[in-house]
Amino acid sequence: MQKAEQIWGAYAQSMQEQNDNWKNLLADDVTFTGPAAKALGKEEYIKTTEDFFGMVRGAEMKRYVANENLVATEVEIKVATPTGNIITLDMTEFYEIEDSKIKSVKVHYDAEEFRKEFSIN
């Protein structure tokens, strides 16, 4: 079994290269929890992720830590809004790995500006 850092590293590299390999690293029952969205299952996760990454205009990995089944990241992401603004989200992400697949992703950030720009209550 691969360590969490290897699985997450392959996932992050695929995202950066903008290919579809990251989808193969997801468990069928993967869950996503964030302040502005939730997803249950691989299909919902892929749609939610693709929708979000369509708005991303830049990202900078600040740091990450990993153990056998968890990777925690701190990343700054620039997001284009429907009004044409670019907002910066300082995110903390937690990736739980099980059986060499991403089982859950939990994202934390101050969503006030995001919700305002995207008219989410």
Side-chain angles (χ1 to χ4, degrees), residues 90-105:
D90 290 315
M91 291 187 171
T92 304
E93 305 168 313
F94 296 92
Y95 295 84
E96 183 182 1
I97 313 299
E98 185 178 290
D99 297 326
S100 298
K101 298 282 188 177
I102 296 172
K103 179 77 171 172
S104 72
V105 180

Side-chain angles (χ1 to χ4, degrees), residues 3 13 19 24-25 27 37 41 54 59 71 79 97 102 107 110:
K3 290 184 178 180
Q13 181 177 353
N19 63 50
N24 299 322
L25 299 169
V71 175
V79 176
I97 313 299
I102 296 172
V107 175
D110 181 352

Side-chain angles (χ1 to χ4, degrees), residues 105-116:
V105 180
K106 294 179 182 169
V107 175
H108 302 276
Y109 61 92
D110 181 352
E112 183 177 343
E113 187 176 13
F114 184 88
R115 285 187 174 126
K116 183 177 86 179

